[in-house]
Every structure is written in structure tokens, then in C-alpha cells.
Amino acid sequence: MLRQYELIERVKEYDPDADEALLNRAYVYTVQKHGSQKRASGDPYFSHPVEVAGLMTDLKLDQDSIITALLHDTVEDTLATIEDIERNFGPDVARLVDGVTKLSKIEQMPENERAAENLRKFLLAMSEDIRVLLVKLGDRLHNMRTLHHIKNEEKRRRIARETMDIYAPLAERIGMYEYMREMQLLAFEQLEPEGYKTITDRLAKLRQQDGGQVDAIALAIKQALAEAGLKVEVSGREKHPYSIWTKMAERHVSFEQVSDIFAFRIITDGVEDCYRAMGVLHTTWQFLPGRFKDYISTPKNNGYRSLHTSLMYENSMRVEVQIRTREMHQRNEFGFAAHWAYKQHETPDGAVGWLRDLIEIVDASHDAEELLEHTRMAIYQDRIFAFTPKGALFQLPKGATPVDFAFAVHTDLGAQTVGAKINGRHMPLRTALNNGDVVEIIKGKEAEPQLSWLGFVVTGKARASIRRAVRLKERAEVAELGRKLYEDIADRVPAKIGKKALRLALGRLELEDEEDLMYAIGAAQISDLAVMEALVPGCTAEFADEVPDWSKRDKAISIRGLTAGVGFKLADCCHPVPGDRIVGTRKPGEGVEVHTIDCLTLASGIDQDWIDLQWGQRSQGAVGRLRITLYDRPGTLAEMAGIFAKNHVNVTHLEQTQLDHPFTAYEVDLEVQDLAHLTRMLSALRASDAVAQAERI
């Protein structure tokens, strides 16, 4: 563990103007607050924040970052408060500590919710200050280095999985490759212990047998470049064990079949020398087509710049080579942290768009599981490049479609997408984009995101936006149904309901506005009697013992407005139920067919007589038709059937109409009491995790 004077000396080496007294006070504060607390290793707990502060000095961060690292666990694990931090160390440090600190209640949450809430907290905080993320990554890296001291295997694996899924990709996304590689290696050891041991043992054996082969290849590369007049540094290394493991998994090959075990890095004086070195290598050794990548002219989103190529060395050995300048190398290894240290504490321009997308995802995600899913998509690293017709460049994950591209350009453009041209040709929206594609989005003013898009989009931003739009549409539909039901409720109270009565009712029901009330009624979150009582207190005394039981109602259907003895049937095209506004159509010599007033079939009924009809006795027996889209996974059909049973409806017809993974669509005919009953059935379906979408046909 770093001693107090050693930490101060490290900071003063790169920041002579740092406030030594304040740093000393922070060191003493964390030691005093953590007191006799111990880590799983048996070391004093304060050794952890001190080591995290040491990691921040390696990144040459400012004194507020060092103090934040020292204090980052005091609020969570001691009696210290944010107010104490602000009083002793100022508002900036207090804000940073608050951004990094994990709230104690998070530790009691289920796994996904805990990870999601932790992620949500510092994503929002780092949008204001990237130092929150830098300290958080340092905190996680040191925890991973000491993970082996935790005796509970399940807990070790949980922390390792969270690191692999969230923190390592985040480190990569901001260009901190040193952190990413070490996190992946330590997590890999916990998650795949047999695979880790096998690969590290093979690498150790290879190291013993290679007879200095890595050094020999590095020397050969350096000599070839020197003969061309290039002064460079060349280093060689074995590939990262986790990188080898992923290659074995992707290619379905054994360790012996992974031919590009070795990687070499060439450091040059300038950008021009990078391209000259690449030309020398490609003329000296055979290069592998399709393996050349120019991240200098087209950097990654995180600012990474380098030339990549693969060569066929002697004895058919494949080696990977990276060529970059010294400045690029510093930036590539430490990413945004390097920029922060050298560019006077400014957040890099490349971070702005990515951070904005992450915050949109946080806002659009409905629950913890969605947030994790969307964020993982947003931070994974395999990318392609696509262009707008005007030449603007956008980086997207592999497998991205025109819909992903549209949402990447702007959320509103994605929402209005109706078609796309790829390289001038009309193509389906589910088409996967390739590197260099020019994508033109065709939009429509009345268009809206489609649920089916979730079957092929791959970016977190697109998925979050689509799901949010679908939820808002469903909410509007439920509120509209609730408004119709409210009119019936208001007619049943012994008073005329005006704006004042409605405003007072909202207060009694603790609802924000009229729209919330209509949604609550439509979603069956509040009973008719509760609404009546809120509108006119005391008016429901006579209904106190009334308990609706749909299963005991009469099943006769009666229609008012028909001539005595005239037969009728409910139309199959619109499936009217009591509560719908209805009309009848009749051809000479035939009975009356009952339609909803907005039935599309009525538009073609020119040769038929129209009859104004009304429902008679409100009774069960009418059939409503629904289109229900389920997630295509085990148990969802059974869950839907359970919802039908719980709501006392009879299923008269069930037909699967579409199977498009990950969704399955059904058309279902349900025997219901009336429109209110059908509305509550829809609300129950929409509330289920098994149901992606439910609507009346």
C-alpha cells in the first residue's frame, strides 16, 4: 500500500501546484473514517481507496480526482455524509464522490437491478464529468485485482460477470485498453477457470519452446524498416489470453489452430512514417487480404488511432502488427484519461455523442433488465462505418441495419423511417450494413416505430427508442379507452361533473393530471366506485357490497332499435361488444348485421339499409377479437392462458398468425361481458412480461 508521503510525491511530480495540505487531509480522513474495517484479504479497508488513488496518479489526474478516489467509499461504508465531504473538501469533490459512490441499498437489490442501478447512477454522473467514470474504473480494477480473496465463489463470479459485461466494455469504449485487458483477464480467470488455466499453461509452454522467436521476429521487422531509413521502436508479445479464448470460440478451433498468437507494435515519430512502415512490411512479407485496417484516417469512436495488418511470416506463421506514433500510443492505452491529463481537463469531443446516446438510453429504458441490455449493446466494440448521402460518417456495431443507422443520425429520423436506400438501391429495413455503405433514409411524417423492428435492430439506442415509442402508443390507447369508460362513470354519479369536481377528484386520488386518471381507469388500476367516490364523496354507499362476478351473469344479448321478430348477428369483421357505438346493416330478405360505428366494412355498404341501434341489457356473450404478440420463449403461451382464466373470459378461437423470432403473434376471439371487460383484459395482457403487444382488431 502507498504511504501518505509516497502518494503526495506522485501527485507533485506531475502537478507541482497541487494543494499538499488538502491531499494530506483527505488521506488522513479516509484512514480515520474506515478505522478498523477490514477487506476480505485481511488488509485494512483504507488500503483500497489509497491504491485507487495510486491508479489515478498513474493517469496523471488532477487533485480533485485523487481526493475523490481516497474518499469514494466513505459515504457508503462509514458514517460520513456528502455534506461532510462538501464542508471539508469543497462542492466539486462532493459532487464527484456522490457520482462514484454506490448507494448502500443497491447491494440489497437483485443482481440485474443492482447492476443496472449502479450503472444508471454513474452514467448520469459521468455525463457531467468524465472523472466519475475514470475513478469508478480504477475502483473496479483494484477490486478485481483482490477478487481472489473473496471466499464465496458465487459472489466472485457475479462480480466477474458484471466486470466482463459492463466495466471492461466501458473501459474499451473510452479507449482505456490497459484497464480493459486486465479486467478481462481477471474476470476470465473466474468465469472460465479451466479455459484460463489451459491457455495460460499453453502460452507458458510456448514461451519455453520458442527459443527467442518473438525477439527474432521483432528484430527482423526493425531491420527491414531501418534499411528503408525508418527509425522505429518494435516490441512483440503474446496475445491476451482472453483474446485467444474468444478467437477459439468464434472460429471453433483449438489452441493449436490459432495461428496468430503473436502481436507486434511499431512506434514511429510521425504519421507519414506509419504509412511508410506499412508499405515496407507489405513488400517484405505477404500480407493477409481483408486484415488491413486504417484507424488513423478513420479513428474509432473512442479516439483510437493506429494501422493494423496481419503478415505471413516465415514457416507460414501469421503475426499481427500495429503501427502508430508515440502520441497515438499514449492516447490508445489510456484513452480519455490521457486526453484529460494533457488537454487541460476538457472532455474529448468524441465523447460527447456517445455520452449523449447513453443518457438517451437511460431515459428510455423501462426497467433494470432493459437498461442493461441496451447499454451492453451501446458499448460493445466491433464496429462498421457507414455514410449519409452528404458524407457524414457514423460508426455502428456489426450487423447494424438502416433502422439502427437512422436512430444513430437522430432519434426523430429513426422514428419516422419508412424505407431506405443502400448505395442507391432500395433495400429492406432489416438488411445488415457493410463497411463503407452509403445509407439514405426515407421518412414519412405520419410514420412511427414498429414493434417488429425489435426483431432485427442491434443498437441499444434503437431498441430503447422503439420500446419507448411502443409503450407511449399503448399508454395513449389505454387512456383513450379509459376516457370512454370515464364518461359512463360520470353519468352514474348524482351530480353534473365540471372541471372543479374533476380537479378535486385528482387530488383525492393522488394523481397528477387528467391523462393519468384516464390511463388508470383504462388500465384497471382504479375501480369505478373509487372514481365515483372521488368525484362525489359519499355517493357510493349503496354500492358498498357490490362485487362484480362475470361468471354469474346472463349470457343473452339484446339490441334496442330492431323491429320485433327481426333476427340479427354480430359482424365478424369488427366484433362489436356492449359499450361500442353500433349501427345495423340489412339487405332485403336478410337479417340485420351489427357493426361498430367505425367498422371499415361500412364504407362499402352503399346498397344496404343502415339502422341506428343501441345495446339493450348489458350482458355477456359478445366476442371481441385481439391481436396478441408474445415473446417467443417457453411459458409465454401458458401465461397468456392464465391471464384469460383470471379475468373470466372464454376463448372461442385461437390462431397463430406470425412467427418472427423473437416474437409470435396470435389472433384470439374472447367472449366478454362488455367493452369495460375487454379493456381490462387488454390492460392485464399489456402488463405481462410475456406480452410484447396487445391490441383489439
Side-chain angles (χ1 to χ4, degrees):
M1 181 182 73
L2 280 174
R3 297 187 179 184
Q4 186 173 342
Y5 75 88
E6 293 174 327
L7 179 65
I8 306 303
E9 285 179 356
R10 283 197 185 190
V11 178
K12 298 288 281 185
E13 280 179 7
Y14 64 83
D15 186 6
D17 298 327
D19 188 337
E20 187 173 339
L22 193 63
L23 290 165
N24 278 316
R25 195 158 76 243
Y27 192 103
V28 172
Y29 187 89
T30 194
V31 171
Q32 289 177 337
K33 289 297 179 182
H34 288 293
S36 59
Q37 293 176 351
K38 300 285 187 182
R39 287 176 63 80
S41 62
D43 294 332
Y45 190 90
F46 62 76
S47 65
H48 166 66
V50 169
E51 290 300 322
V52 175
L55 289 172
M56 297 302 97
T57 64
D58 292 337
L59 300 176
K60 295 182 172 57
L61 296 190
D62 65 332
Q63 70 176 30
D64 281 355
S65 300
I66 308 302
I67 295 172
T68 299
L70 287 170
L71 306 179
H72 77 272
D73 276 339
T74 54
V75 175
E76 179 187 356
D77 294 331
T78 78
L79 297 177
T81 65
I82 288 296
E83 290 72 25
D84 293 335
I85 302 295
E86 183 170 356
R87 186 166 52 253
N88 286 284
F89 302 100
D92 288 343
V93 170
R95 176 175 51 80
L96 291 173
V97 170
D98 189 43
V100 179
T101 300
K102 295 181 294 185
L103 299 176
S104 57
K105 66 180 182 180
I106 292 171
E107 300 301 328
Q108 279 74 52
M109 291 181 180
E111 179 179 338
N112 270 3
E113 290 187 21
R114 179 176 59 248
E117 287 304 317
N118 192 11
L119 181 63
R120 182 192 297 272
K121 177 176 169 54
F122 81 78
L123 283 182
L124 290 171
M126 82 176 189
S127 68
E128 299 176 359
D129 198 321
I130 196 68
R131 290 175 293 178
V132 170
L133 178 57
L134 300 180
V135 175
K136 184 66 180 178
L137 291 176
D139 170 51
R140 178 51 60 120
L141 179 59
H142 186 257
N143 280 332
M144 288 303 297
R145 288 176 176 177
T146 57
L147 186 62
H148 59 280
H149 290 297
I150 296 177
K151 295 179 180 179
N152 187 315
E153 181 183 355
E154 184 179 345
K155 184 176 181 181
R156 291 199 310 270
R157 289 179 61 83
R158 175 185 63 76
I159 294 171
R161 172 52 60 196
E162 188 177 84
T163 300
M164 190 71 86
D165 285 349
I166 301 297
Y167 295 99
L170 272 172
E172 186 276 338
R173 200 64 175 80
I174 63 169
M176 296 182 68
Y177 287 94
E178 284 293 325
Y179 275 42
M180 177 200 74
R181 283 191 285 266
E182 187 173 353
M183 285 183 187
Q184 286 178 337
L185 181 64
L186 294 168
F188 177 42
E189 182 179 7
Q190 296 295 331
L191 296 172
E192 299 287 349
E194 292 184 7
Y196 173 84
K197 186 176 186 307
T198 299
I199 291 178
T200 52
D201 287 350
R202 296 287 182 87
L203 286 173
K205 188 175 180 181
L206 191 63
R207 210 174 294 126
Q208 293 174 349
Q209 296 174 347
D210 79 344
Q213 190 174 29
V214 172
D215 292 339
I217 296 174
L219 181 60
I221 291 174
K222 189 170 185 177
Q223 287 177 341
L225 296 175
E227 290 173 4
L230 289 168
K231 185 179 180 181
V232 299
E233 297 173 13
V234 181
S235 59
R237 58 177 176 80
E238 299 152 350
K239 279 203 164 178
H240 192 266
Y242 179 67
S243 174
I244 295 173
W245 171 262
T246 54
K247 276 186 165 51
M248 290 168 59
E250 289 170 0
R251 301 176 187 175
H252 305 287
V253 297
S254 65
F255 180 88
E256 288 77 14
Q257 292 172 297
V258 179
S259 52
D260 47 349
I261 297 292
F262 300 116
F264 295 86
R265 183 171 293 148
I266 300 172
I267 306 296
T268 71
D269 290 330
V271 174
E272 184 180 343
D273 290 344
C274 291
Y275 289 99
R276 287 181 59 202
M278 179 67 69
V280 172
L281 295 181
H282 283 184
T283 54
T284 306
W285 293 282
Q286 179 185 355
F287 81 97
L288 300 177
R291 303 283 292 178
F292 169 63
K293 295 177 181 177
D294 186 347
Y295 293 120
I296 292 180
S297 65
T298 311
K300 293 185 178 182
N301 270 353
N302 58 22
Y304 178 92
R305 301 179 72 204
S306 185
L307 297 178
H308 289 194
T309 190
S310 290
L311 305 175
M312 192 66 72
Y313 195 69
E314 298 170 3
N315 302 321
S316 300
M317 176 184 291
R318 287 170 52 172
V319 296
E320 286 194 4
V321 181
Q322 301 170 352
I323 309 173
R324 60 184 66 159
T325 66
R326 287 182 179 82
E327 183 182 352
M328 290 176 194
H329 179 63
Q330 180 67 26
R331 171 64 188 270
N332 291 350
E333 294 306 290
F334 297 105
F336 286 5
H339 185 104
W340 177 266
Y342 292 111
K343 299 296 182 181
Q344 299 176 341
H345 307 173
E346 295 177 0
T347 299
D349 292 339
V352 176
W354 174 65
L355 290 176
R356 189 184 300 116
D357 285 352
L358 279 182
I359 301 309
E360 279 193 36
I361 288 171
V362 169
D363 291 339
S365 296
H366 183 251
D367 53 32
E369 188 173 344
E370 269 193 23
L371 175 62
L372 284 178
E373 174 194 350
H374 298 157
T375 307
R376 284 171 185 156
M377 290 178 175
I379 61 183
Y380 277 135
Q381 62 243 39
D382 290 338
R383 319 296 285 175
I384 63 160
F385 301 92
F387 298 86
T388 67
K390 293 184 178 180
L393 173 66
F394 288 87
Q395 297 187 40
L396 297 162
K398 286 183 178 177
T401 66
V403 176
D404 294 296
F405 182 88
F407 277 105
V409 174
H410 198 282
T411 304
D412 290 344
L413 179 62
Q416 296 176 352
T417 297
V418 294
K421 289 182 180 181
I422 303 176
N423 301 323
R425 295 179 57 196
H426 283 281
M427 299 295 287
L429 289 177
R430 62 172 57 243
T431 305
L433 299 176
N434 295 312
N435 257 327
D437 281 347
V438 177
V439 184
E440 179 183 350
I441 299 299
I442 303 168
K443 64 179 184 177
K445 291 183 179 179
E446 303 300 322
E448 56 188 20
Q450 302 299 307
L451 182 69
S452 60
W453 291 356
L454 293 176
F456 56 79
V457 295
V458 301
T459 59
K461 183 178 180 181
R463 294 184 76 84
S465 299
I466 293 165
R467 282 176 169 160
R468 185 179 194 179
V470 170
R471 281 195 298 270
L472 290 174
K473 180 184 177 184
E474 287 187 351
R475 181 180 176 85
E477 290 175 352
V478 171
E480 184 60 32
L481 289 169
R483 196 172 297 279
K484 294 178 181 178
L485 295 174
Y486 170 78
E487 292 172 0
D488 178 61
I489 293 170
D491 288 341
R492 290 154 58 190
V493 300
K496 185 176 181 180
I497 303 302
K499 291 183 178 180
K500 180 180 178 182
L502 180 57
R503 185 172 64 253
L504 292 172
L506 292 173
R508 296 182 184 114
L509 294 169
E510 297 182 351
L511 296 172
E512 289 291 327
D513 53 33
E514 185 178 331
E515 191 70 14
D516 285 346
L517 173 61
M518 301 311 162
Y519 178 79
I521 295 172
Q525 295 175 351
I526 188 170
S527 69
D528 293 4
L529 294 183
V531 178
M532 292 169 66
E533 183 66 21
L535 290 170
V536 182
C539 74
T540 60
E542 60 183 295
F543 302 112
D545 298 325
E546 182 179 306
V547 178
D549 186 349
W550 305 122
S551 63
K552 295 180 181 178
R553 301 290 184 93
D554 181 22
K555 294 192 176 183
I557 290 287
S558 61
I559 301 288
R560 292 205 304 265
L562 294 175
T563 305
V566 174
F568 71 90
K569 73 168 187 173
L570 303 181
D572 292 332
C573 49
C574 54
H575 292 275
V577 297
D580 287 324
R581 186 181 170 195
I582 52 175
V583 296
T585 61
R586 181 175 58 185
K587 292 181 179 179
E590 296 183 10
V592 173
E593 191 170 56
V594 181
H595 296 262
T596 61
I597 192 66
D598 53 359
C599 177
L600 297 178
T601 304
L602 295 178
S604 60
I606 300 173
D607 297 330
Q608 301 182 31
D609 295 330
W610 283 34
I611 305 171
D612 187 22
L613 300 177
Q614 291 181 324
W615 295 100
Q617 176 185 343
R618 288 167 63 95
S619 53
Q620 187 171 351
V623 174
R625 176 167 291 179
L626 304 183
R627 180 181 294 110
I628 303 171
T629 304
L630 300 180
Y631 290 104
D632 186 18
R633 55 178 182 247
T636 54
L637 189 59
E639 186 167 340
M640 178 175 73
I643 294 171
F644 294 155
K646 188 174 181 180
N647 285 272
H648 306 294
V649 298
N650 295 323
V651 179
T652 61
H653 178 74
L654 174 68
E655 180 182 357
Q656 180 180 312
T657 58
Q658 184 180 2
L659 177 59
D660 187 6
H661 186 75
F663 304 105
T664 305
Y666 296 90
E667 284 190 2
V668 188
D669 290 350
L670 302 173
E671 192 177 64
V672 294
Q673 164 68 21
D674 53 21
L675 181 60
H677 190 193
L678 184 62
T679 299
R680 284 164 171 74
M681 182 72 255
L682 270 170
S683 298
L685 288 166
R686 288 168 174 166
S688 170
D689 290 336
V691 179
Q693 190 175 39
E695 58 186 354
R696 184 181 176 190
I697 300 178

